[in-house]
Amino acid sequence: MTVQMVEKVSELEATRSEFVTLINLWRVRRRFRGGSASARALALFPHYPVVTIEGLASLLGVSFRQASEAVWQLQEARILEERTGYARNRIYAAPEVLV
């Protein structure tokens, strides 16, 4: 049991390290204003790799408009992709997290 726990902790630490590296890579792709919804959203995607605009607004505590602008910026930076193809009720995913 102890060996398995050590392996799981090592796996968790490696995953966390990969997420930090990924977030830093995203920050290089596009300059985000400090404290903006877009910048704050980056830290959420390892935990919530699939979001809606409404969901992102709720998670960040911002308006729908602010979350919509953030999603647009994150799509432009190739961090989020729209997955539904619909005009309404769109779902966005961070594919690099889902790999």
Side-chain angles (χ1 to χ4, degrees):
M1 176 103 162
T2 304
V3 172
Q4 290 175 337
M5 290 179 78
V6 169
E7 289 174 354
K8 291 297 177 186
V9 168
S10 295
E11 185 179 320
L12 176 63
E13 289 172 350
T15 301
R16 284 183 178 163
S17 176
E18 289 177 28
F19 284 148
V20 167
T21 300
L22 183 57
I23 291 168
N24 289 333
L25 173 68
W26 289 341
R27 287 188 177 127
V28 171
R29 286 189 193 166
R30 186 183 201 287
R31 265 191 102 119
F32 297 106
R33 198 184 69 209
S36 69
S38 304
R40 293 181 13 226
L42 298 177
L44 293 176
F45 297 139
H47 307 284
Y48 301 95
V50 178
V51 295
T52 62
I53 293 175
E54 295 88 358
L56 187 61
S58 177
L59 288 167
L60 294 172
V62 299
S63 70
F64 180 89
R65 184 168 187 228
Q66 288 173 302
S68 182
E69 178 68 21
V71 166
W72 180 82
Q73 290 176 3
L74 294 163
Q75 283 186 62
E76 187 178 69
R78 300 177 333 274
I79 295 167
L80 286 183
E81 293 178 350
E82 196 275 328
R83 293 291 180 104
T84 61
Y86 302 138
R88 294 173 42 155
N89 301 319
R90 293 179 175 173
I91 296 174
Y92 301 88
E96 293 166 300
V97 175
L98 297 173
V99 174

